[in-house]
Amino acid sequence: MASHRLDLPSRCDICGKARSTRKHQVCSRIRQQRKADEWAELMAAQAEAKNNQPRRYAR
Ligand SMILES: [Zn+2]
């Protein structure tokens, strides 16, 4: 197990402190909000791309 290296960073990517030192409820909330924003942006871009595509089966 010790030789197994995890990709997860031990530091919080929001506040930059070690995750084990403090509770990061606020940080996780911020992270979720960021992800939600990214997701919304992605979905909007996809929808736009779909709208811009010509309909192949329109006939
Ligand atoms: Zn944090």
Side-chain angles (χ1 to χ4, degrees):
M1 289 292 263
S3 61
H4 228 79
R5 216 180 132 173
L6 292 171
D7 279 340
L8 274 174
S10 54
R11 277 170 184 263
C12 175
D13 54 342
I14 302 296
C15 65
K17 289 174 183 172
R19 283 186 181 174
S20 53
T21 52
R22 287 192 177 210
K23 287 186 177 177
H24 295 277
Q25 285 186 347
V26 179
C27 300
S28 67
R29 205 182 300 160
I30 292 173
R31 194 180 299 114
Q32 275 185 355
Q33 185 61 50
R34 279 189 190 176
K35 275 200 174 177
D37 287 347
E38 273 179 34
W39 190 248
E41 221 169 276
L42 195 77
M43 294 305 274
Q46 277 186 356
E48 203 174 310
K50 262 189 190 174
N51 283 335
N52 287 337
Q53 270 180 1
R55 283 192 184 178
R56 288 186 186 179
Y57 309 106
R59 263 192 280 174

